[in-house]
Amino acid sequence: MTEPDVTPKSRVWVEINLDTIERNFHHIQEAVKPLQVLAVLKANAYGLGVEKIAERLNRAGAAGFCVAELKEALPLVKFGKPVQILGAVLDYEIPEAVRNHIILGITDLEVARKISMESVRQGVTTEVQLKVDTGMGRLGILEPDVLHVAKEVVKLPNLDLKGIYTHFPIAYHGADRYSFAQAARFLGIIEKLAQHGIVLEKRHIANSDAINNCPFACVPPFTHVRAGINLHGSFDTEGQRALKLEPVLSLKTYLVAVRTLPAGHTIGYGCTCKLFRDTRVGTIAAGYADGLPLNLSNRGYVLVKGRLCPILGRLSMDYTTISLDSFEEGEVKPGEIVTCIGGEGADRITVEDWAQIKGTHSYDIICSFGTRVERVCVTDH
Ligand SMILES: Cc1ncc(COP(=O)(O)O)c(C=O)c1O
């Protein structure tokens, strides 16, 4: 039985089970040991609320936290674990990042010089890691330049060059030529640096897709994996799911109206649904502003009293209409809690179900819950 720690004060809320997150973390840790797990908590822990999730993962034994930018890094410093900005560092972020001992990625020599200068100015040493582009095509030092950049970085004052990392764009394809070649090139770079006396203690490449599909990326000489979506029990819609992880979230709302509409009545904007018989129709207090994909219109389901109820018509911003025809008169009333994602057994509605209907991936679904959706942490007890 899962009970919210606090009573939701919103029409729509997402319940995040911290015990499940912790179990998922331990599964990942077990699967990749002796490598350590860095928890990727960017974008407010993928929109689920970073504070409590970080607190739990810190206790569970995460080796550190990875984020996208300074604003996300600062609240994590208090846990006393390494906090790393994975992507580009902007000029205005450098002084505060250095002051707070955030680990910074070196994407080119110029940024390394700026971080060094600021570290000298503050009289501190900053840990940096080389961010190498082995095939993502987004950010980082290209293979032919890595040795030169590394040799320059080690000469710069007040920098401690401790690590190197790169990122897979299609790890869900598994050990295909692309990811395998990327890992091989990356290992070649590490080896070449070592031959020139630059031995880097932290070496990482694997994200969730790689943890499930690329065993070669989760063994020494790599030292860490960077896990994000797997912590939430979600996977890319493509690729295999080697780990047995549990979904951590349920999205819930209230039924606000139950009415019987006559045959011939249409439902919602665009009149995309016309009733062919008198139908018991429910209206729930969640719409696309809360993160329900518009593609659920006339296609998706929600759970009322554990029973799947089809969505009728087009979703609107604040409301969605459903068929309650499978219930007897008076069996469900306004105020009933409705599960949009969650539930048990075969009728469970998952993040991946929505991703499939929307033609997207689970990251997009989780990151799209609206700002008025309350994030409520729950536990198993
Ligand atoms: C560089 C980097 N590493 C790791 C991750 C974590 O990815 P995932 O959520 O697939 O585990 C991300 C997220 O996009 C990333 O940008």
Side-chain angles (χ1 to χ4, degrees):
M1 179 69 170
T2 300
E3 291 298 336
D5 287 347
V6 291
T7 312
K9 293 179 204 70
S10 308
R11 289 171 168 230
V12 193
W13 66 101
V14 57
E15 291 176 9
I16 299 128
N17 190 320
L18 296 174
D19 290 335
T20 312
I21 291 189
E22 180 164 353
R23 276 195 297 277
N24 287 342
F25 171 83
H26 289 305
H27 277 304
I28 298 166
Q29 179 62 83
E30 188 59 25
V32 303
K33 71 180 186 200
L35 274 58
Q36 293 186 291
V37 181
L38 298 166
V40 179
L41 298 180
K42 57 190 187 168
N44 194 24
Y46 292 27
L48 297 183
V50 73
E51 178 69 29
K52 290 194 171 160
I53 293 178
E55 198 179 280
R56 182 56 82 95
L57 289 169
N58 179 48
R59 267 199 281 147
F65 302 114
C66 298
V67 293
E69 56 162 303
L70 178 70
K71 244 197 288 184
E72 297 169 356
L74 294 178
L76 300 174
V77 171
K78 64 169 176 273
F79 295 110
K81 297 240 168 105
V83 180
Q84 176 164 6
I85 294 178
L86 289 174
V89 187
L90 302 190
D91 286 358
Y92 80 89
E93 295 177 313
I94 293 176
E96 195 81 345
V98 166
R99 192 167 302 116
N100 286 280
H101 311 289
I102 308 297
I103 301 170
L104 300 176
I106 300 299
T107 46
D108 57 46
L109 206 43
E110 201 180 324
V111 79
R113 291 193 180 112
K114 286 177 182 167
I115 298 166
S116 166
M117 257 165 52
E118 181 60 28
S119 303
V120 170
R121 200 183 67 76
Q122 291 189 27
V124 297
T125 298
T126 302
E127 177 179 336
V128 292
Q129 300 188 12
L130 300 172
K131 181 172 176 68
V132 180
D133 187 350
T134 55
M136 181 72 184
R138 183 170 67 180
L139 273 177
I141 311 161
L142 295 172
E143 187 179 356
D145 305 327
V146 178
L147 181 60
H148 168 69
V149 172
K151 280 180 168 174
E152 293 301 311
V153 169
V154 292
K155 283 192 248 163
L156 290 171
N158 296 51
L159 293 188
D160 181 11
L161 179 58
K162 258 209 164 105
I164 186 165
Y165 62 108
T166 192
H167 195 43
F168 287 123
I170 50 166
Y172 47 81
H173 282 181
D176 73 351
R177 277 210 199 120
Y178 200 88
S179 302
F180 200 74
Q182 257 188 290
R185 274 202 307 280
F186 188 52
L187 287 170
I189 292 168
I190 292 168
E191 180 61 33
K192 190 165 164 192
L193 291 174
Q195 283 163 5
H196 286 81
I198 302 171
V199 178
L200 300 170
E201 148 192 340
K202 299 179 183 176
R203 305 172 289 272
H204 40 110
I205 184 169
N207 61 344
S208 296
D209 279 334
I211 295 167
N212 284 275
N213 297 277
C214 305
F216 54 88
C218 306
V219 287
F222 300 117
T223 57
H224 296 78
V225 298
R226 305 183 301 267
I229 199 85
N230 268 185
L231 292 169
H232 306 316
S234 277
F235 298 86
D236 227 307
T237 31
E238 296 185 55
Q240 62 167 354
R241 300 170 183 191
L243 299 187
K244 272 213 163 358
L245 304 172
E246 300 167 71
V248 304
L249 66 89
S250 303
L251 185 73
K252 296 185 179 171
T253 186
Y254 292 107
L255 192 61
V256 295
V258 179
R259 301 177 307 150
T260 299
L261 298 183
H265 210 291
T266 64
I267 295 185
Y269 290 112
C271 302
T272 60
C273 172
K274 188 169 185 178
L275 300 175
F276 62 88
R277 63 169 188 223
D278 294 0
T279 306
R280 188 162 302 114
V281 173
T283 302
I284 65 170
Y288 61 76
D290 303 297
L292 277 64
L294 201 56
N295 316 59
L296 296 179
S297 304
N298 290 309
R299 287 176 74 194
Y301 291 82
V302 297
L303 287 163
V304 180
K305 288 184 183 286
R307 194 178 296 174
L308 285 167
C309 300
I311 290 172
L312 301 177
R314 190 186 290 172
L315 270 71
S316 50
M317 190 182 290
D318 317 308
Y319 296 106
T320 297
T321 32
I322 59 174
S323 168
L324 294 174
D325 242 12
S326 63
F327 289 98
E328 298 297 324
E329 169 122 41
E331 211 184 333
V332 280
K333 296 194 174 70
E336 184 79 45
I337 290 179
V338 175
T339 300
C340 302
I341 295 179
E344 301 296 330
D347 290 341
R348 175 172 222 153
I349 300 169
T350 65
V351 168
E352 286 73 17
D353 291 337
W354 279 21
Q356 212 145 27
I357 291 178
K358 191 178 173 184
T360 185
H361 47 46
S362 40
Y363 305 79
D364 178 33
I365 299 296
I366 295 180
C367 288
S368 297
F369 297 137
T371 48
R372 69 186 177 189
V373 176
E374 192 177 342
R375 277 72 173 163
V376 180
C377 288
V378 301
T379 53
D380 280 340
H381 55 75

